[in-house]
Amino acid sequence: MTTSYRNIPSVEKLLSDERICRLVDEYSHEAVVYLVRRRLDEVRQGITDGEESPSLDDLAEGIVTRAASLWSPWPRSVINATGVILHTNLGRAPLSRESTEALLNAARGYTNLELDLKDGVRGSRQAHIESILCQLTGAEASLVVNNNASAVLLGLSAIANEKEVIVSRGEAVEIGGGFRIPDVLRQSGATLTEVGTTNRTYLTDYKGAITQDTGALLKVHSSNFLISGFTHDTAIGELVELGVRHQVSVLHDLGSGCLLETARFGLAHEPTVQESVAAGVDLTFFSGDKLLGGPQAGIIVGKKETISLLARHPLARAVRIDKLSLAALTTTLLHYIRGEALDKVPVWRMVSMPIEELEATAHRWQKDVGDRGQVIRGLSTIGGGSLPGETLPTWLLALTQGGSLPGGANGLTSRLREAEMPVIARIEEDRVVIDPRTVLPGEEDALVASLKNALEK
Ligand SMILES: *Cc1c(COP(=O)(O)O)cnc(C)c1O
C-alpha cells in the first residue's frame, strides 16, 4: 500500500482554506501557521503509527476548534453551586465589588505604589496597609507577602535559620497542596524538634525541648483536619509565657486569618488574628484569601522588631506582594474598618446568609426547572482548609432527571461542567444538588439556563 503521507495537505493548502483564512484574520498569520504545522506533525506521526490521514475538512475543522480552546482567556468563570465557600479548585475567595474595582484601577494605570506623593521621594508599598492591619489586629507592625506559605517560609528563615524550631507532633502536618510544615522548616534552614504526641502535647513538652539552640516555638492551627477525643493542645498564651521566660520567639501560623467571631453563625470558634496578637505572639501568619475574604496574600503581623528582621531578609523581595493583590487586599480590609464585612465580603455574606433567603432562592430555581427539581435540606461547608467538619444548614435544589438521561448523576454533573456557563455541583445520594449559598448575586439567570440545558440534553 502506498503510504498516505502523500495525502497530507501542505501548509499552503490549509492556509488557503476558507476557515483557516478566517482564523488568520482573527488572530495572526504567524499564530495560525504555528498551529497548522503542529497539527500536520501530529498527522505525520499518526500515519507512522498506522493511522489514516484525516480529510482536509476534518483537519480544518480541528484546527479551528483547537484555536478556540487554546487561544482563549483563562481561567474561565464558573458558577460554584457546591456550597463549599472556600473551594480551593475554584480559586478560594471571590472578591467584593469594591476590591475588584480597586484591583482593576491599580492594573489599568500608574499608581503611587512606591512614591510618597507629599515629598516626591520613594515610599513603601507596605506602609498604608500596615496601619490598617495594625488597627484591625492590635499588632505593632505588619508585612504582606505573596501567600501564607511564603510568609511562614520567610518568618522561619529570618528567625530560626540554623536553629531548632519546636513544634507539636500533632501540628507538624501537611496543610494541603503538598505544603508540609516539616519541609518548610527544613527549607528555611531550621531544624524541627517535634514534641508531644499526635493527640496530646503539653506545655512541659515544649519546655523540656528548649535548648540553647532553640530559635522559635511554632504553633500551627490545624485548619484542615480534626483530632478529636482524648486530646490536649497547649494554648497560645501559655506558649508565649514560656517563650518570654526563655527568650525564644513564638510564631503562630493561623492559616485562615479570621477577623470575625465564627461562633455567631453556629460554627466552632475559629481562633482570630486579634486573639493571637493579644496573646503576645511575636509573629502571626495568615492567608489573604481564606476567611479574610480577600485576594491571595500572606499576611504577617507582630512585634515591630521582629517584623523589621523579616522585611530586611533577602527572601522578602522574592516573595513580595504584587500591586494588584495589594490594592484588592487593602480594600477588603477597609470593609472590616467600616464594619460592613458581613454585607460586602462575599465569603462573609455567604457564611451569614439567612436560612430563609436560601430557602426562597432554592424554591425560585425549583419553579424554573419544574418537576425535575426538589427543594431539600442540606449542609454547606467552609472548605479551603478552614473549620474542618463544621457545617452550615442550607436548602438545596436536588435535581432528578426522570431516569431517561444517560450517565445518571455523574452524567448530569459533567454536562453542567461543560455548559457554556459551567456550573460546579455536587452529588449527594445519587442526586445532583445545587446549593444557593455559594452562587453569587448576578449569576442566577446563567445558572438556571445551564441547569435547564443540562437537564434537557
Ligand atoms: C492554608 C494554610 C497555609 C498556606 O497558605 P497559602 O495562603 O495557601 O499559601 C499555611 N498554613 C496553614 C495553617 C494553612 O491553613
Side-chain angles (χ1 to χ4, degrees):
M1 201 172 89
T2 53
T3 65
S4 36
Y5 290 108
R6 241 177 289 139
N7 301 343
I8 304 176
S10 65
V11 173
E12 287 67 36
K13 174 116 186 158
L14 267 165
L15 283 174
S16 62
D17 182 276
E18 199 189 328
R19 288 157 289 195
I20 304 295
C21 285
R22 274 202 297 275
L23 266 194
V24 170
D25 286 344
E26 193 181 346
Y27 300 97
S28 73
H29 181 77
E30 231 179 344
V32 175
V33 168
Y34 169 84
L35 209 56
V36 167
R37 289 223 168 98
R38 270 189 42 174
R39 184 69 192 106
L40 292 179
D41 284 345
E42 287 168 9
V43 171
R44 235 167 267 125
Q45 184 60 48
I47 291 169
T48 309
D49 298 342
E51 291 163 19
E52 292 282 306
S53 169
S55 68
L56 183 75
D57 257 6
D58 285 352
L59 273 174
E61 295 287 350
I63 289 166
V64 169
T65 310
R66 192 177 295 185
S69 94
L70 194 62
W71 297 329
S72 60
W74 192 92
R76 281 178 68 184
S77 294
V78 305
I79 295 175
N80 177 8
T82 61
V84 181
I85 296 175
L86 296 168
H87 201 302
T88 303
N89 299 356
L90 307 184
R92 288 197 189 153
L95 297 179
S96 72
R97 184 173 53 78
E98 291 81 356
S99 297
T100 311
E101 276 163 14
L103 183 150
L104 279 175
N105 197 50
R108 237 184 321 241
Y110 298 104
T111 61
N112 65 338
L113 184 69
E114 291 192 352
L115 178 71
D116 184 326
L117 290 176
K118 201 154 144 267
D119 304 328
V121 295
R122 177 153 191 190
S124 154
R125 70 175 62 203
Q126 298 283 346
H128 186 80
I129 199 165
E130 182 172 36
S131 48
I132 296 171
L133 278 166
C134 291
Q135 181 183 346
L136 285 171
T137 65
E140 292 174 8
S142 77
L143 186 69
V144 178
V145 297
N146 182 60
N147 63 350
N148 192 32
S150 58
V152 175
L153 177 63
L154 172 62
L156 290 169
S157 305
I159 304 286
N161 182 33
E162 296 186 357
K163 297 205 179 123
E164 295 164 2
V165 175
I166 305 176
V167 186
S168 157
R169 199 155 264 130
E171 296 173 8
V173 296
E174 176 168 325
I175 305 301
F179 179 77
R180 290 182 166 174
I181 292 296
D183 295 339
V184 179
L185 263 161
R186 213 170 304 123
Q187 195 62 44
S188 73
T191 45
L192 171 66
T193 305
E194 280 187 62
V195 294
T197 59
T198 307
N199 58 332
R200 296 173 82 92
T201 305
Y202 299 92
L203 190 63
T204 50
D205 294 321
Y206 289 92
K207 196 173 165 195
I210 294 179
T211 70
Q212 281 185 329
D213 294 324
T214 303
L217 310 178
L218 171 66
K219 186 164 180 63
V220 183
H221 179 50
S222 65
S223 50
N224 59 354
F225 67 99
L226 276 177
I227 296 181
S228 59
F230 187 60
T231 62
H232 180 83
D233 176 49
T234 306
I236 189 72
E238 291 180 280
L239 279 187
V240 170
E241 261 176 54
L242 184 66
V244 168
R245 225 178 311 133
H246 294 265
Q247 297 187 325
V248 173
S249 300
V250 177
L251 315 182
H252 196 187
D253 178 8
L254 264 185
S256 226
C258 192
L259 294 176
L260 303 176
E261 177 51 71
T262 48
R264 283 170 62 187
F265 307 102
L267 296 164
H269 170 70
E270 171 78 10
T272 64
V273 182
Q274 298 91 311
E275 286 165 355
S276 178
V277 171
V281 163
D282 292 273
L283 296 176
T284 305
F285 309 95
F286 54 100
S287 280
D289 55 347
K290 291 183 179 171
L291 281 173
L292 195 73
Q296 180 188 304
I299 304 168
I300 311 164
V301 296
K303 301 274 164 69
K304 206 177 183 93
E305 231 174 288
T306 321
I307 292 279
S308 70
L309 276 179
L310 270 61
R312 288 198 305 269
H313 192 276
L315 255 186
R317 181 62 168 80
V319 299
R320 182 168 84 168
I321 181 97
D322 74 289
K323 63 178 181 175
L324 307 188
S325 308
L326 194 54
L329 184 61
T330 304
T331 302
T332 303
L333 294 172
L334 290 177
H335 290 312
Y336 289 90
I337 296 270
R338 294 201 175 94
E340 61 185 23
L342 292 187
D343 288 330
K344 298 275 189 167
V345 177
V347 165
W348 285 98
R349 218 181 47 78
M350 292 173 188
V351 168
S352 63
M353 200 173 277
I355 190 78
E356 302 78 30
E357 183 180 334
L358 293 158
E359 188 178 10
T361 308
H363 278 287
R364 207 161 54 238
W365 297 344
Q366 190 276 327
K367 288 205 181 72
D368 288 316
V369 300
D371 57 8
R372 290 160 304 177
Q374 194 190 346
V375 176
I376 60 168
R377 284 177 193 276
L379 298 168
S380 316
T381 56
I382 308 297
S386 302
L387 290 162
E390 291 294 312
T391 56
L392 291 161
T394 190
W395 287 90
L396 304 167
L397 175 67
L399 301 171
T400 43
Q401 29 180 4
S404 58
L405 288 165
N410 281 319
L412 185 55
T413 51
S414 78
R415 283 195 300 283
L416 285 169
R417 266 199 322 274
E418 286 165 41
E420 200 168 294
M421 182 56 169
V423 175
I424 314 302
R426 65 194 162 88
I427 297 176
E428 225 174 75
E429 292 171 2
D430 277 341
R431 276 196 297 189
V432 176
V433 294
I434 304 293
D435 191 332
R437 189 185 296 276
T438 48
V439 176
L440 296 167
E443 288 180 341
E444 189 157 337
D445 291 348
L447 172 85
V448 169
S450 292
L451 292 184
K452 282 183 168 171
N453 244 322
L455 283 164
E456 272 153 23
K457 267 190 193 141

PDB file of all heavy atoms in Angstrom, residues 92 147-150 152 175 179 181 220-221 223 253-256 287-290 296-297 384-385, ligand 1:
ATOM      1  N   ARG A  92     -10.600  29.718  45.673  1.00  0.00           N
ATOM      2  CA  ARG A  92     -10.855  30.254  47.022  1.00  0.00           C
ATOM      3  C   ARG A  92     -11.801  31.455  47.022  1.00  0.00           C
ATOM      4  O   ARG A  92     -12.853  31.392  46.427  1.00  0.00           O
ATOM      5  CB  ARG A  92      -9.547  30.586  47.731  1.00  0.00           C
ATOM      6  CG  ARG A  92      -8.781  29.343  48.160  1.00  0.00           C
ATOM      7  CD  ARG A  92      -7.729  29.734  49.201  1.00  0.00           C
ATOM      8  NE  ARG A  92      -6.818  28.639  49.491  1.00  0.00           N
ATOM      9  CZ  ARG A  92      -5.586  28.815  49.903  1.00  0.00           C
ATOM     10  NH1 ARG A  92      -5.104  30.030  50.078  1.00  0.00           N
ATOM     11  NH2 ARG A  92      -4.826  27.783  50.162  1.00  0.00           N
ATOM     12  N   ASN A 147       1.870  34.892  49.589  1.00  0.00           N
ATOM     13  CA  ASN A 147       0.871  33.955  50.125  1.00  0.00           C
ATOM     14  C   ASN A 147       1.333  33.507  51.499  1.00  0.00           C
ATOM     15  O   ASN A 147       2.437  33.844  51.931  1.00  0.00           O
ATOM     16  CB  ASN A 147       0.627  32.769  49.178  1.00  0.00           C
ATOM     17  CG  ASN A 147       1.866  31.922  48.984  1.00  0.00           C
ATOM     18  OD1 ASN A 147       2.956  32.306  49.398  1.00  0.00           O
ATOM     19  ND2 ASN A 147       1.715  30.762  48.397  1.00  0.00           N
ATOM     20  N   ASN A 148       0.495  32.756  52.179  1.00  0.00           N
ATOM     21  CA  ASN A 148       0.841  32.408  53.552  1.00  0.00           C
ATOM     22  C   ASN A 148       1.995  31.417  53.625  1.00  0.00           C
ATOM     23  O   ASN A 148       2.782  31.451  54.554  1.00  0.00           O
ATOM     24  CB  ASN A 148      -0.393  31.873  54.288  1.00  0.00           C
ATOM     25  CG  ASN A 148      -0.159  31.776  55.777  1.00  0.00           C
ATOM     26  OD1 ASN A 148       0.577  32.586  56.336  1.00  0.00           O
ATOM     27  ND2 ASN A 148      -0.757  30.794  56.410  1.00  0.00           N
ATOM     28  N   ALA A 149       2.088  30.528  52.649  1.00  0.00           N
ATOM     29  CA  ALA A 149       3.205  29.575  52.648  1.00  0.00           C
ATOM     30  C   ALA A 149       4.529  30.342  52.601  1.00  0.00           C
ATOM     31  O   ALA A 149       5.471  30.024  53.329  1.00  0.00           O
ATOM     32  CB  ALA A 149       3.087  28.625  51.463  1.00  0.00           C
ATOM     33  N   SER A 150       4.591  31.372  51.761  1.00  0.00           N
ATOM     34  CA  SER A 150       5.840  32.138  51.691  1.00  0.00           C
ATOM     35  C   SER A 150       6.027  33.004  52.930  1.00  0.00           C
ATOM     36  O   SER A 150       7.159  33.286  53.333  1.00  0.00           O
ATOM     37  CB  SER A 150       5.923  32.952  50.402  1.00  0.00           C
ATOM     38  OG  SER A 150       4.841  33.825  50.289  1.00  0.00           O
ATOM     39  N   VAL A 152       5.271  32.069  56.009  1.00  0.00           N
ATOM     40  CA  VAL A 152       5.847  31.180  57.024  1.00  0.00           C
ATOM     41  C   VAL A 152       7.315  30.893  56.695  1.00  0.00           C
ATOM     42  O   VAL A 152       8.181  30.930  57.571  1.00  0.00           O
ATOM     43  CB  VAL A 152       5.034  29.859  57.110  1.00  0.00           C
ATOM     44  CG1 VAL A 152       5.685  28.881  58.077  1.00  0.00           C
ATOM     45  CG2 VAL A 152       3.592  30.146  57.534  1.00  0.00           C
ATOM     46  N   ILE A 175      -0.484  20.911  55.161  1.00  0.00           N
ATOM     47  CA  ILE A 175      -1.613  21.843  55.172  1.00  0.00           C
ATOM     48  C   ILE A 175      -2.500  21.630  53.959  1.00  0.00           C
ATOM     49  O   ILE A 175      -3.677  21.908  53.966  1.00  0.00           O
ATOM     50  CB  ILE A 175      -1.101  23.311  55.169  1.00  0.00           C
ATOM     51  CG1 ILE A 175      -0.126  23.553  56.324  1.00  0.00           C
ATOM     52  CG2 ILE A 175      -2.234  24.295  55.214  1.00  0.00           C
ATOM     53  CD1 ILE A 175      -0.692  23.294  57.684  1.00  0.00           C
ATOM     54  N   PHE A 179       2.002  21.363  50.962  1.00  0.00           N
ATOM     55  CA  PHE A 179       2.687  22.276  51.871  1.00  0.00           C
ATOM     56  C   PHE A 179       2.812  21.616  53.237  1.00  0.00           C
ATOM     57  O   PHE A 179       1.860  21.534  53.998  1.00  0.00           O
ATOM     58  CB  PHE A 179       1.897  23.597  51.959  1.00  0.00           C
ATOM     59  CG  PHE A 179       2.488  24.616  52.893  1.00  0.00           C
ATOM     60  CD1 PHE A 179       3.585  25.361  52.530  1.00  0.00           C
ATOM     61  CD2 PHE A 179       1.925  24.834  54.139  1.00  0.00           C
ATOM     62  CE1 PHE A 179       4.127  26.302  53.393  1.00  0.00           C
ATOM     63  CE2 PHE A 179       2.456  25.774  55.004  1.00  0.00           C
ATOM     64  CZ  PHE A 179       3.556  26.511  54.635  1.00  0.00           C
ATOM     65  N   ILE A 181       4.641  21.328  56.911  1.00  0.00           N
ATOM     66  CA  ILE A 181       5.386  22.114  57.893  1.00  0.00           C
ATOM     67  C   ILE A 181       6.841  21.625  58.041  1.00  0.00           C
ATOM     68  O   ILE A 181       7.767  22.439  57.983  1.00  0.00           O
ATOM     69  CB  ILE A 181       4.633  22.126  59.244  1.00  0.00           C
ATOM     70  CG1 ILE A 181       3.318  22.927  59.081  1.00  0.00           C
ATOM     71  CG2 ILE A 181       5.484  22.699  60.366  1.00  0.00           C
ATOM     72  CD1 ILE A 181       3.494  24.396  58.746  1.00  0.00           C
ATOM     73  N   VAL A 220       0.933  25.730  64.918  1.00  0.00           N
ATOM     74  CA  VAL A 220       0.248  25.702  63.623  1.00  0.00           C
ATOM     75  C   VAL A 220      -1.210  25.369  63.873  1.00  0.00           C
ATOM     76  O   VAL A 220      -1.519  24.346  64.498  1.00  0.00           O
ATOM     77  CB  VAL A 220       0.872  24.637  62.689  1.00  0.00           C
ATOM     78  CG1 VAL A 220       0.199  24.660  61.321  1.00  0.00           C
ATOM     79  CG2 VAL A 220       2.370  24.862  62.544  1.00  0.00           C
ATOM     80  N   HIS A 221      -2.095  26.211  63.396  1.00  0.00           N
ATOM     81  CA  HIS A 221      -3.520  25.923  63.574  1.00  0.00           C
ATOM     82  C   HIS A 221      -3.903  24.814  62.607  1.00  0.00           C
ATOM     83  O   HIS A 221      -3.762  24.971  61.394  1.00  0.00           O
ATOM     84  CB  HIS A 221      -4.334  27.187  63.304  1.00  0.00           C
ATOM     85  CG  HIS A 221      -5.808  26.964  63.442  1.00  0.00           C
ATOM     86  ND1 HIS A 221      -6.354  26.364  64.535  1.00  0.00           N
ATOM     87  CD2 HIS A 221      -6.837  27.271  62.623  1.00  0.00           C
ATOM     88  CE1 HIS A 221      -7.656  26.302  64.390  1.00  0.00           C
ATOM     89  NE2 HIS A 221      -7.989  26.833  63.236  1.00  0.00           N
ATOM     90  N   SER A 223      -5.858  23.442  60.427  1.00  0.00           N
ATOM     91  CA  SER A 223      -7.030  24.046  59.814  1.00  0.00           C
ATOM     92  C   SER A 223      -7.766  23.112  58.876  1.00  0.00           C
ATOM     93  O   SER A 223      -8.883  23.388  58.493  1.00  0.00           O
ATOM     94  CB  SER A 223      -6.596  25.292  59.050  1.00  0.00           C
ATOM     95  OG  SER A 223      -5.508  24.974  58.212  1.00  0.00           O
ATOM     96  N   ASP A 253       1.186  30.137  63.098  1.00  0.00           N
ATOM     97  CA  ASP A 253       0.610  30.038  61.751  1.00  0.00           C
ATOM     98  C   ASP A 253      -0.880  29.734  61.907  1.00  0.00           C
ATOM     99  O   ASP A 253      -1.278  28.617  62.211  1.00  0.00           O
ATOM    100  CB  ASP A 253       1.306  28.906  60.967  1.00  0.00           C
ATOM    101  CG  ASP A 253       0.704  28.721  59.575  1.00  0.00           C
ATOM    102  OD1 ASP A 253      -0.127  29.557  59.169  1.00  0.00           O
ATOM    103  OD2 ASP A 253       1.077  27.733  58.899  1.00  0.00           O
ATOM    104  N   LEU A 254      -1.679  30.768  61.666  1.00  0.00           N
ATOM    105  CA  LEU A 254      -3.130  30.651  61.879  1.00  0.00           C
ATOM    106  C   LEU A 254      -3.853  30.059  60.678  1.00  0.00           C
ATOM    107  O   LEU A 254      -5.004  29.647  60.792  1.00  0.00           O
ATOM    108  CB  LEU A 254      -3.714  32.045  62.130  1.00  0.00           C
ATOM    109  CG  LEU A 254      -3.914  32.510  63.554  1.00  0.00           C
ATOM    110  CD1 LEU A 254      -4.616  33.863  63.528  1.00  0.00           C
ATOM    111  CD2 LEU A 254      -4.749  31.512  64.348  1.00  0.00           C
ATOM    112  N   GLY A 255      -3.240  30.100  59.532  1.00  0.00           N
ATOM    113  CA  GLY A 255      -3.907  29.593  58.330  1.00  0.00           C
ATOM    114  C   GLY A 255      -4.946  30.561  57.797  1.00  0.00           C
ATOM    115  O   GLY A 255      -4.661  31.394  56.945  1.00  0.00           O
ATOM    116  N   SER A 256      -6.131  30.462  58.369  1.00  0.00           N
ATOM    117  CA  SER A 256      -7.248  31.191  57.788  1.00  0.00           C
ATOM    118  C   SER A 256      -7.223  32.705  57.949  1.00  0.00           C
ATOM    119  O   SER A 256      -7.649  33.434  57.066  1.00  0.00           O
ATOM    120  CB  SER A 256      -8.556  30.653  58.363  1.00  0.00           C
ATOM    121  OG  SER A 256      -9.448  30.457  57.315  1.00  0.00           O
ATOM    122  N   SER A 287      -3.510  33.751  55.716  1.00  0.00           N
ATOM    123  CA  SER A 287      -3.770  33.920  54.284  1.00  0.00           C
ATOM    124  C   SER A 287      -4.675  35.121  54.032  1.00  0.00           C
ATOM    125  O   SER A 287      -5.507  35.461  54.869  1.00  0.00           O
ATOM    126  CB  SER A 287      -4.505  32.695  53.731  1.00  0.00           C
ATOM    127  OG  SER A 287      -3.611  31.656  53.479  1.00  0.00           O
ATOM    128  N   GLY A 288      -4.581  35.686  52.843  1.00  0.00           N
ATOM    129  CA  GLY A 288      -5.487  36.761  52.446  1.00  0.00           C
ATOM    130  C   GLY A 288      -6.782  36.223  51.859  1.00  0.00           C
ATOM    131  O   GLY A 288      -7.820  36.884  51.890  1.00  0.00           O
ATOM    132  N   ASP A 289      -6.723  34.996  51.318  1.00  0.00           N
ATOM    133  CA  ASP A 289      -7.869  34.507  50.532  1.00  0.00           C
ATOM    134  C   ASP A 289      -8.595  33.328  51.157  1.00  0.00           C
ATOM    135  O   ASP A 289      -9.203  32.526  50.473  1.00  0.00           O
ATOM    136  CB  ASP A 289      -7.426  34.167  49.107  1.00  0.00           C
ATOM    137  CG  ASP A 289      -6.273  33.177  49.040  1.00  0.00           C
ATOM    138  OD1 ASP A 289      -5.635  32.912  50.084  1.00  0.00           O
ATOM    139  OD2 ASP A 289      -6.001  32.663  47.953  1.00  0.00           O
ATOM    140  N   LYS A 290      -8.486  33.208  52.466  1.00  0.00           N
ATOM    141  CA  LYS A 290      -9.329  32.217  53.156  1.00  0.00           C
ATOM    142  C   LYS A 290     -10.449  33.002  53.842  1.00  0.00           C
ATOM    143  O   LYS A 290     -11.160  33.738  53.167  1.00  0.00           O
ATOM    144  CB  LYS A 290      -8.485  31.366  54.107  1.00  0.00           C
ATOM    145  CG  LYS A 290      -7.532  30.433  53.348  1.00  0.00           C
ATOM    146  CD  LYS A 290      -6.750  29.531  54.288  1.00  0.00           C
ATOM    147  CE  LYS A 290      -5.827  28.598  53.521  1.00  0.00           C
ATOM    148  NZ  LYS A 290      -4.926  27.880  54.450  1.00  0.00           N
ATOM    149  N   GLN A 296      -5.315  36.406  47.044  1.00  0.00           N
ATOM    150  CA  GLN A 296      -4.186  35.609  47.537  1.00  0.00           C
ATOM    151  C   GLN A 296      -3.145  36.539  48.131  1.00  0.00           C
ATOM    152  O   GLN A 296      -2.718  37.505  47.502  1.00  0.00           O
ATOM    153  CB  GLN A 296      -3.562  34.823  46.396  1.00  0.00           C
ATOM    154  CG  GLN A 296      -2.372  33.987  46.865  1.00  0.00           C
ATOM    155  CD  GLN A 296      -1.621  33.351  45.719  1.00  0.00           C
ATOM    156  OE1 GLN A 296      -2.209  32.639  44.917  1.00  0.00           O
ATOM    157  NE2 GLN A 296      -0.331  33.594  45.646  1.00  0.00           N
ATOM    158  N   ALA A 297      -2.750  36.266  49.353  1.00  0.00           N
ATOM    159  CA  ALA A 297      -1.711  37.054  50.011  1.00  0.00           C
ATOM    160  C   ALA A 297      -1.305  36.317  51.272  1.00  0.00           C
ATOM    161  O   ALA A 297      -2.052  35.479  51.773  1.00  0.00           O
ATOM    162  CB  ALA A 297      -2.223  38.447  50.382  1.00  0.00           C
ATOM    163  N   GLY A 384     -11.565  25.128  51.955  1.00  0.00           N
ATOM    164  CA  GLY A 384     -10.302  25.883  51.908  1.00  0.00           C
ATOM    165  C   GLY A 384      -9.439  25.669  53.135  1.00  0.00           C
ATOM    166  O   GLY A 384      -8.699  26.551  53.552  1.00  0.00           O
ATOM    167  N   GLY A 385      -9.524  24.492  53.735  1.00  0.00           N
ATOM    168  CA  GLY A 385      -8.731  24.228  54.921  1.00  0.00           C
ATOM    169  C   GLY A 385      -9.117  25.129  56.071  1.00  0.00           C
ATOM    170  O   GLY A 385      -8.272  25.606  56.810  1.00  0.00           O
TER     171      GLY A 385
HETATM  172  C1  LIG B   1      -3.670  27.409  54.043  1.00  0.00           C
HETATM  173  C2  LIG B   1      -2.580  27.357  55.042  1.00  0.00           C
HETATM  174  C3  LIG B   1      -1.273  27.713  54.689  1.00  0.00           C
HETATM  175  C4  LIG B   1      -0.906  28.104  53.290  1.00  0.00           C
HETATM  176  O1  LIG B   1      -1.472  29.344  52.965  1.00  0.00           O
HETATM  177  P1  LIG B   1      -1.466  29.847  51.422  1.00  0.00           P
HETATM  178  O2  LIG B   1      -2.011  31.233  51.518  1.00  0.00           O
HETATM  179  O3  LIG B   1      -2.331  28.906  50.688  1.00  0.00           O
HETATM  180  O4  LIG B   1      -0.061  29.817  50.962  1.00  0.00           O
HETATM  181  C5  LIG B   1      -0.302  27.677  55.669  1.00  0.00           C
HETATM  182  N1  LIG B   1      -0.601  27.305  56.933  1.00  0.00           N
HETATM  183  C6  LIG B   1      -1.856  26.952  57.311  1.00  0.00           C
HETATM  184  C7  LIG B   1      -2.109  26.539  58.727  1.00  0.00           C
HETATM  185  C8  LIG B   1      -2.893  26.973  56.375  1.00  0.00           C
HETATM  186  O5  LIG B   1      -4.118  26.623  56.737  1.00  0.00           O
END
